[in-house]
Structure formats: structure tokens, C-alpha cells
């Protein structure tokens, strides 16, 4: 007689993990609310900041308007990204200073989409990498569209 455990093993043989077959696809809505405590980059002790959002895989870029002479800018601008594979994508948020003769990067934050996938929606403040101070306030929302990977 065969033991009962052989049958249980037989159920899993030849099957792949469901995670490998599912692409988490959907729409990521990002609202750039504000930045706080940005470092001064201009001679007048201020900055002319704007934010560039980039989805790493698709390389789609959007940017906010420039707010002049402001270290605590409030944008309240919303952008949507169609994301094809959210489990393997990242959102990059860069804060730049606009100048007449060019632009200077103030700082950035890079995030995976894990938290928004799990929570569906959240708002948080993200410290900027690079400067000695500054954080970016973002609101993220996820609208899923499940799709199975073609075999």
C-alpha cells in the first residue's frame, strides 16, 4: 500500500507557482501634494522647484509646474500611469530646481509599488535622497486589472 503523502505530492507536481503566471497590471494614480523643508539652491536663499515622476520600466515621465522662490511648495497635481507589471516596476520622484541657465537636482526618492498594491491607497511623506533636508508628500492609488501571462 502507498502512504497518503504520495498523493499530496502528486497534486503539486507539474504545476508552476500562480505568481509566475499573473501580471499585476493596472493604473497608478500619483498626486504630488507638496514638498517641505527643501534646501535653498538659489542665491536669494530660495529654490524654484518642480517634480519629475518616472516609471522605471516604461520610462514614462511627467512633471509638475515650477513654483518660484519656494522651499515649501504645494502642487496638488495628479498624474496617471498605466503599469504593465507592477510587481517589477518602480516609481522615481525627483525634485529639481529650475533656473534660467539650466536645472539642478535637489533630491529624489525611489519606491517599489508593493505598499500601494497591498493597501490600495495611501498618503505619506518621503525623505529625499541627496540633500541635507527635504521631503516629498505623495498620495498614491492603485486600480488593478489582473491579466494572465500568455503561455
Amino acid at each position: 500500500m502507498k502512504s497518503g503523502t504520495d498523493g499530496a505530492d502528486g497534486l503539486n507536481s507539474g504545476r508552476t507557482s500562480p505568481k509566475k503566471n499573473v501580471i499585476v497590471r493596472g493604473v497608478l494614480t500619483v498626486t504630488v501634494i507638496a514638498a517641505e523643508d527643501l534646501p535653498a539652491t538659489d542665491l536669494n536663499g530660495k529654490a524654484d522647484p518642480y517634480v519629475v515622476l518616472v516609471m522605471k520600466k516604461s520610462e514614462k515621465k511627467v512633471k509638475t509646474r515650477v513654483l518660484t522662490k519656494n522651499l515649501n511648495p504645494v502642487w496638488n497635481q495628479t498624474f496617471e500611469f498605466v503599469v504593465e507589471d507592477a510587481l517589477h516596476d518602480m516609481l522615481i520622484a525627483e525634485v529639481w530646481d529650475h533656473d534660467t541657465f539650466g536645472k539642478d537636482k535637489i533630491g529624489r526618492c525611489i519606491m517599489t509599488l508593493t505598499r500601494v498594491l497591498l493597501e490600495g491607497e495611501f498618503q505619506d511623506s518621503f525623505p529625499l535622497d541627496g540633500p541635507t533636508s527635504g521631503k516629498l508628500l505623495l498620495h498614491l492609488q492603485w486600480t488593478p486589472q489582473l491579466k494572465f501571462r500568455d503561455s
Side-chain angles (χ1 to χ4, degrees):
M1 292 197 123
K2 291 185 176 185
S3 69
T5 56
D6 289 346
D9 291 343
L11 287 176
N12 290 329
S13 63
R15 259 197 327 179
T16 58
S17 167
K19 283 185 180 178
K20 289 181 182 172
N21 292 328
V22 176
I23 297 173
V24 181
R25 183 177 190 271
V27 177
L28 176 67
T29 304
V30 181
T31 301
V32 180
I33 298 170
E36 297 174 355
D37 199 23
L38 294 178
T41 56
D42 294 343
L43 294 175
N44 63 10
K46 299 283 185 183
D48 304 316
Y50 64 96
V51 176
V52 177
L53 299 175
V54 184
M55 289 306 303
K56 186 153 176 55
K57 285 189 105 174
S58 68
E59 297 181 354
K60 181 181 177 187
K61 286 184 186 183
V62 295
K63 65 181 178 179
T64 66
R65 63 189 175 278
V66 175
L67 295 178
T68 56
K69 299 182 176 120
N70 202 326
L71 299 179
N72 296 289
V74 176
W75 290 281
N76 280 322
Q77 284 185 260
T78 301
F79 303 95
E80 287 188 345
F81 297 94
V82 174
V83 181
E84 293 296 332
D85 192 0
L87 293 174
H88 301 100
D89 212 341
M90 289 192 290
L91 174 67
I92 302 166
E94 299 175 328
V95 181
W96 291 83
D97 176 48
H98 180 269
D99 285 315
T100 309
F101 302 109
K103 58 187 180 183
D104 299 308
K105 187 187 289 185
I106 295 175
R108 72 177 184 174
C109 53
I110 301 173
M111 64 195 83
T112 65
L113 305 184
T114 308
R115 183 174 171 193
V116 74
L117 289 173
L118 292 173
E119 297 181 22
E121 181 175 6
F122 74 92
Q123 181 172 310
D124 207 348
S125 161
F126 299 90
L128 296 174
D129 293 336
T132 53
S133 65
K135 52 189 173 184
L136 192 58
L137 186 60
L138 300 174
H139 178 267
L140 284 80
Q141 184 174 357
W142 178 252
T143 307
Q145 300 171 332
L146 276 183
K147 177 182 173 185
F148 288 93
R149 208 180 284 275
D150 297 331
S151 300

